[in-house]
Every structure is written in structure tokens, then in C-alpha cells.
Amino acid sequence: MLLSVGKTTTQLSEVPVRLLLVEDDLELVQDLRPELEQAGYAVDCVEDGEEALFLGETESYDLMVLDLGLPRLGGLAVLAKWRASGVDAPVLILTARDSWQEKVDGLKAGADDYLTKPFHHQELLARLQALLRRRYGSVSAQLEARDLVLDEEHQQVCVAGNSPVKLTATEFRLLRYFMLNPGKPLSKTRLTEHVYAQDFDRDSNLIEVYVSRLRDKIGRDRIETRRGQGYVFKA
Ligand code: CA
């Protein structure tokens, strides 16, 4: 799709937001999950290899973080099976300290990057961003569409040069998805899939509420309602 960035026009592919976190250390998940969500990812978490294999093959994730030591099916086997069945999302593996063999095996099995435990969460976030950039091209920290500027780092939006308006995590994911898909009708179902992390809060009626809040922040005419089709963001 074409997205206007400043005065130039840059080709941007559809930027991903769905992340699968596979980790059986629940304390780590508890710490990490809100940070990933804060950073704008829609996160699903699973703690065993069988479930990870199933979800990875049936859902369309844009990025995966995979611990290698997992119950039921080890992370390496999960990764190899994903790759064998054509799952091509970037995968960052989490490995045990001092286990260089695991890293080598992981990279051979199709991992795109690795981090050794314990790690700084900021480093994980930076590496995930780098994977996305490598994979999807020009993903900058700032998205622009006409007089709207979305600041991804601070999750705020500027409209026509006015002072920035803060967005909630859900509003931010929704607006980012709109801005990356200008001019396309986006159904409530599709928006729901890309904006919410958990199945239990995937209530597509809530999208109306969030769209209405976004309109209050960026102007009513920027998001058009199309009967039977959903919404269209006007760049
Ligand atoms: Ca583990």
C-alpha cells in the first residue's frame, strides 16, 4: 500500500501487530505481557509446545517469541514443525544461558533471532522492532497520513500540528491498523482480530466504541462507516 510520509511516498507493507508469546515461566509472562501490550502488540500467550504448535499453524501471527524449554513438546520441535508447514513469521527464541548448541540448533531450525535468559525486557522490545523492520521494511517510529502523525514510541497522535493527544493501548492499535490500511474497507471482525489480544475480549461490538473514541480524537470525518462493510480510514 502507499503511505504518505512527509513529502515523499513510501511503500509500506501491512505492518503486523499480532504476537504469540510461548513461555512456561508464568512469572516472566506476567511481567512481559503488559510491556508487550504497552508497546502496541496484540499478545496471545501459551505455555506448552503442543498448544503453541496448534496456534502458530492456525492463527496468523506476525511475530513469535518462543521459549525452547517447554512442556509436552520442546520449542525446537515446535519451530521445526512450524517451518515445515509453511509458517513464516519471524521467530525469536529464548534460550538457556551458556547453551550455544541451543542457539545453533534454533537458528538452523528457522529462528530469526535469539535472546539468552535472563534478558532485559527493553532488549527484547528492541529486537522485536528490529525483526519487524527487517521483515516488513520501512517501519518507522512515526506513521503519517496527511495531517495525522502517529507517534509509536509514545502512543500519541498529533492532528494538524496541534499538541499530541494520548491514546490508550487499544486506541493506538486500532489507529495504527487504520493508518496502515488507508482507503480499504475493514470489517469489524478483521479489526477485532488485529486489535484485541485475547479471545475473551474479542467482542466486535466494542469496535464501535473504540472507533467513536478515535473519531473524538482525530476528527469524525477521518473514519467513514460503510454499511455492511465496516470502516474506511481516509488518509
Ligand atoms: Ca521454559
Side-chain angles (χ1 to χ4, degrees):
M1 99 205 42
L2 290 177
L3 200 92
S4 150
V5 177
K7 281 185 180 144
T8 60
T9 298
T10 309
Q11 188 78 34
L12 259 189
S13 46
E14 190 169 298
V15 171
V17 289
R18 295 193 68 197
L19 183 145
L20 178 63
L21 173 60
V22 187
E23 172 58 77
D24 61 322
D25 175 348
L26 296 182
E27 264 179 50
L28 179 57
V29 171
Q30 211 171 31
D31 289 348
L32 213 47
R33 178 178 200 138
E35 292 183 42
L36 288 165
E37 288 175 346
Q38 196 59 43
Y41 297 104
V43 185
D44 284 345
C45 301
V46 285
E47 53 190 276
D48 80 70
E50 290 282 358
E51 212 180 330
L53 177 63
F54 174 75
L55 271 186
E57 287 182 345
T58 50
E59 296 284 319
S60 60
Y61 292 103
D62 308 297
L63 200 53
M64 330 247 218
V65 176
L66 175 66
D67 180 36
L68 291 188
L70 292 171
R72 294 177 73 199
L73 183 64
L76 273 179
V78 172
L79 179 57
K81 283 172 193 269
W82 277 344
R83 292 311 190 213
S85 62
V87 175
D88 67 349
V91 175
L92 183 147
I93 53 172
L94 302 176
T95 67
R97 191 165 16 168
D98 297 333
S99 176
W100 63 268
Q101 188 62 45
E102 261 189 8
K103 288 167 202 155
V104 173
D105 291 345
L107 293 170
K108 277 188 184 162
D112 297 88
D113 198 1
Y114 64 83
L115 259 185
T116 302
K117 288 179 174 180
F119 53 87
H120 289 285
H121 295 181
Q122 284 304 321
E123 181 170 7
L124 176 66
L125 292 175
R127 280 170 183 257
L128 292 176
Q129 274 299 112
L131 277 179
L132 289 182
R133 263 197 303 276
R134 219 189 291 162
R135 168 69 158 233
Y136 300 96
S138 49
V139 181
S140 70
Q142 190 166 296
L143 264 180
E144 299 183 23
R146 200 161 27 116
D147 59 353
L148 274 191
V149 181
L150 181 66
D151 175 344
E152 302 205 27
E153 198 180 335
H154 302 102
Q155 295 194 9
Q156 53 193 23
V157 64
C158 285
V159 185
N162 293 323
S163 22
V165 179
K166 201 85 188 124
L167 301 169
T168 65
T170 306
E171 289 165 358
F172 169 75
R173 288 198 289 264
L174 184 62
L175 180 55
R176 182 167 65 172
Y177 196 68
F178 272 129
M179 290 179 76
L180 290 167
N181 293 277
K184 278 190 212 165
L186 301 172
S187 68
K188 282 189 209 166
T189 311
R190 182 162 168 189
L191 290 170
T192 302
E193 271 178 21
H194 280 265
V195 167
Y196 297 119
Q198 288 284 337
D199 284 330
F200 60 75
D201 56 27
R202 280 187 194 164
D203 174 357
S204 60
N205 291 316
L206 282 177
I207 287 289
E208 284 173 36
V209 176
Y210 284 111
V211 165
S212 153
R213 283 197 215 158
L214 263 188
R215 280 174 170 155
D216 289 342
K217 293 186 177 181
I218 66 171
R220 305 210 68 77
D221 57 328
R222 296 305 292 256
I223 304 171
E224 188 188 303
T225 304
R226 290 225 187 131
R227 266 186 94 94
Q229 289 189 306
Y231 299 99
V232 177
F233 175 76
K234 292 152 83 181

